[in-house]
Each structure stands twice: as C-alpha cells, then as structure tokens.
Amino acid sequence: MVQRIRGWVRSLVGRFRSDSGMTTSEYAVGTIAACAFAAVLYKVVTSQPVMSALQSLLKDALDAKF
C-alpha cells in the first residue's frame, strides 16, 4: 500500500516538474518586468524624501560616539 502511494506521489510530482524551461516570450516578459521594477526602484531611491532620509541616517551613523 505504501509503495502504491509513493508511486502515485512520484508520478504527480513528475507531471509538475516536466517543464523543460521558459520560452523566448517568457524571457522577454520577465526581462521587461525586471527592467520596469529597476526603473521604479531607481526613481524611489533617488527621490528627495528618500535621499534626505538616507543622508540623515548616514550622518547619524558617522557621527556616532563610541
């Protein structure tokens, strides 16, 4: 009985792992999404409120007394 269950689970897992890789269109969509995320992240990090917060954090870290 246990062998039958193990065999069934292995066949089920094998069906989901049978994907041999992404196609060219999936790579293209993934690359576009990564570039869009990078652009949004760049805009957020270089915005004035974030820059001033990072500068004050860095200033406080450098001015720390030991």
Side-chain angles (χ1 to χ4, degrees):
M1 180 70 172
V2 173
Q3 293 296 337
R4 290 181 67 192
I5 293 173
R6 284 184 184 165
W8 179 77
V9 170
R10 284 183 186 147
S11 68
L12 188 63
V13 169
R15 288 182 199 162
F16 289 110
R17 288 188 182 172
S18 65
D19 188 16
S20 61
M22 291 194 301
T23 61
T24 304
S25 61
E26 289 171 329
Y27 278 117
V29 171
T31 303
I32 300 270
C35 290
F37 179 71
V40 169
L41 186 62
Y42 177 76
K43 283 293 187 182
V44 167
V45 170
T46 57
S47 68
Q48 190 58 40
V50 174
M51 288 292 285
S52 63
L54 288 174
Q55 286 176 349
S56 68
L57 181 70
L58 192 59
K59 183 179 177 289
D60 291 343
L62 292 175
D63 291 339
K65 299 189 192 259
F66 293 101

